[in-house]
């Protein structure tokens, strides 16, 4: 067994000597092209920064009559791909092919002397990217960006209802699966009376989604939150999040509660926790905003057996968790929101009355 580096267009000869035996035998000859030198040995492009190096990776491509570095990329799902060498300092040109030789797009001088192209892509369809050394063969970096259909990009603002903030350039509908990725400048706010409807949604780690007090989000499929999801409210308006399928991950609902002082136009509010949360955690997070009445908070549950409201003590001696679907009486010091944080309830709840 021997590996020998070879050069293009160079003829090589080899011979077998019968020093040990003159018996006929079969042997295997394998040629492995340098990665990037031919389409069938294209370098796998990565989302992010890639490097085109004609010295180490180029091969002569007869379609271009020039040295070419070949890359490939296979999207995991339908979406939008952007290839760009706009930050390079050298003159560039590239072609995109649907397979070896079936050229479908190209870019030349689309950002100065450099190249950039955005195109829709199909799940599992391998695309070939050819950087042709027509103008020069300098080494340079280029980027590949990919966003799945339904992906939030936040390219323009935080407005969920702005089509330019979505990878496909169109607002999502009830049939779309939505992904909110990490590392973005703008994260979505569903606001200004928007009632959004989608299929599945994933909020990635480090990402966020906010639903303002005038708006709602209905998820007909599954809800997966690995980041931060916040629902807001005011004295007059309350946001809504409805999940028909499975809900994974915590959300925070900032629920407005009236001021205790009746003369200030307030009074006790009846509230229900929309999440799984312990009483102790709720008081730790919100005790500073809840009115204190002697040794108790202005926070109580109704005892059906005695017909009396039972307040929670300020010494945090009360245990247990909120009962899903049950109303609690509460009042704040100034008229403020209290934060309910926990896992969503997505099934019907029954309460004995």
């Amino acid at each position: 067994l021997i590996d020998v580096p070879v050069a293009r267009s160079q003829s090589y000869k080899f011979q077998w000597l019968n020093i040990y035996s003159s018996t006929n035998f079969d042997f295997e000859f394998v040629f492995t092209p340098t990665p990037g030198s031919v389409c069938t040995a294209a370098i796998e492009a990565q989302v992010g920064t890639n490097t085109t190096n004609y010295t180490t990776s180029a091969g002569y491509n007869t379609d271009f009559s020039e040295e070419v570095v070949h890359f490939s990329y296979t999207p995991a799902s339908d979406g939008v791909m952007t290839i760009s060498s706009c930050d390079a300092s050298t003159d560039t040109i590239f072609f995109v092919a649907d397979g070896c030789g079936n050229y479908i797009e190209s870019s030349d001088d689309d950002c100065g002397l450099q190249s950039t192209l955005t195109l829709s892509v199909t799940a599992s369809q391998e695309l070939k990217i050819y950087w042709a050394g027509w103008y020069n063969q300098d080494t340079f970096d280029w980027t590949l960006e990919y966003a799945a259909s339904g992906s939030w990009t936040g390219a323009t603002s935080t407005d969920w209802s702005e089509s330019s903030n979505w990878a496909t350039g169109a607002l999502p509908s009830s049939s779309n699966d939505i992904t909110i990725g990490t590392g973005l400048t703008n994260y979505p706010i569903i606001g200004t009376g928007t009632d959004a409807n989608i299929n599945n949604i994933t909020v990635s780690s480090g990402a966020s989604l906010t639903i303002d007090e005038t708006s709602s989000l209905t998820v007909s499929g599954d809800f997966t939150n690995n980041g931060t999801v916040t629902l807001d409210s005011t004295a007059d308006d309350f946001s809504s999040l409805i999940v028909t399928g499975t809900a994974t991950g915590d959300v925070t609902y900032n629920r407005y509660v009236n001021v205790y002082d009746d003369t200030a136009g307030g009074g006790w509010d009846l509230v229900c926790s929309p999440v799984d949360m312990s009483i102790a955690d709720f008081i730790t997070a919100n005790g500073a905003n809840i009115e204190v009445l002697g040794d108790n908070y202005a926070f109580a549950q109704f005892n059906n057996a005695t017909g009396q409201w039972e307040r929670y003590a300020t010494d945090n001696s009360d245990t247990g968790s909120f009962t899903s679907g049950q109303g609690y009486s509460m009042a704040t010091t100034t008229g403020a929101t209290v934060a309910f944080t926990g896992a969503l309830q997505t099934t019907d709840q029954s309460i004995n009355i």
Side-chain angles (χ1 to χ4, degrees):
L1 174 65
I2 184 172
D3 292 328
V4 179
V6 296
R8 185 177 66 227
S9 301
Q10 174 65 52
S11 296
Y12 296 87
K13 296 180 179 180
F14 55 92
Q15 56 184 216
W16 294 93
L17 303 179
N18 61 353
I19 296 176
Y20 303 113
S21 171
S22 58
T23 302
N24 293 334
F25 63 92
D26 295 331
F27 70 93
E28 184 179 27
F29 175 80
V30 177
F31 169 70
T32 303
T34 299
S37 62
V38 294
C39 176
T40 54
I43 300 169
E44 184 177 350
Q46 304 297 317
V47 173
T49 301
N50 300 269
T51 300
T52 294
N53 189 321
Y54 291 96
T55 302
T56 61
S57 304
Y60 187 80
N61 188 309
T62 56
D63 289 349
F64 303 98
S65 300
E66 189 54 82
E67 297 292 312
V68 173
V69 180
H70 305 76
F71 289 85
S72 69
Y73 180 70
T74 304
S77 60
D78 294 353
V80 176
M81 177 178 72
T82 299
I83 302 167
S84 174
S85 64
C86 292
D87 291 335
S89 58
T90 189
D91 196 351
T92 64
I93 182 173
F94 71 84
F95 295 80
V96 177
D98 182 6
C100 292
N102 183 26
Y103 306 107
I104 57 176
E105 295 283 359
S106 65
S107 175
D108 182 21
D109 295 346
D110 288 318
C111 49
L113 296 177
Q114 289 71 45
S115 316
T116 185
L117 175 69
T118 298
L119 68 160
S120 298
V121 294
T122 302
S124 303
Q125 174 62 60
E126 183 181 27
L127 298 172
K128 304 292 185 177
I129 305 165
Y130 301 76
W131 291 95
W134 280 348
Y135 306 124
N136 60 75
Q137 295 177 12
D138 299 334
T139 298
F140 63 91
D141 291 337
W142 57 279
T143 59
L144 187 152
E145 297 177 356
Y146 163 74
S149 294
S151 289
W152 167 269
T153 65
T156 303
S157 65
T158 62
D159 186 359
W160 175 284
S161 299
E162 170 55 55
S163 59
S164 62
N165 285 320
W166 296 95
T168 57
L171 298 182
S173 67
S174 58
S175 63
N176 292 136
D177 296 338
I178 303 304
T179 299
I180 303 173
T182 59
L184 304 177
T185 300
N186 297 313
Y187 285 105
I189 298 174
I190 304 176
T192 61
T194 299
D195 295 317
N197 292 271
I198 57 175
N199 187 30
N200 300 307
I201 183 170
T202 298
V203 181
S204 303
S205 176
S208 66
L209 168 66
T210 302
I211 306 172
D212 87 354
E213 63 277 4
T214 66
S215 304
S216 68
L217 173 63
T218 299
V219 181
S220 58
D222 296 333
F223 171 91
T224 303
N225 177 33
N226 297 308
T228 302
V229 175
T230 305
L231 294 87
D232 290 330
S233 67
T234 65
D236 299 313
D237 296 295
F238 302 87
S239 58
S240 168
L241 171 60
I242 298 173
V243 178
T244 303
T246 300
T248 303
D250 292 348
V251 303
T252 295
Y253 196 112
N254 294 318
R255 209 292 191 183
Y256 181 88
V257 176
N258 276 339
V259 61
Y260 173 76
D261 188 356
D262 290 332
T263 62
W268 292 71
D269 251 338
L270 290 176
V271 301
C272 176
S273 175
V275 301
D276 289 330
M277 189 177 192
S278 72
I279 299 297
D281 286 345
F282 177 80
I283 290 177
T284 298
N286 301 287
N289 289 331
I290 301 174
E291 180 74 16
V292 174
L293 303 173
D295 293 331
N296 300 312
Y297 288 109
F299 168 32
Q301 65 172 327
F302 190 76
N303 188 323
N304 287 334
T306 64
Q308 298 295 319
W309 287 98
E310 298 177 347
R311 296 174 183 169
Y312 289 95
T314 56
D315 62 4
N316 294 331
S317 60
D318 295 296
T319 59
S321 298
F322 285 98
T323 299
S324 298
Q326 177 175 312
Y328 294 78
S329 185
M330 192 180 303
T332 58
T333 56
T334 60
T337 60
V338 293
F340 291 91
T341 300
L344 282 171
Q345 293 287 352
T346 60
T347 59
D348 293 339
Q349 306 295 316
S350 298
I351 296 294
N352 293 324
I353 57 174

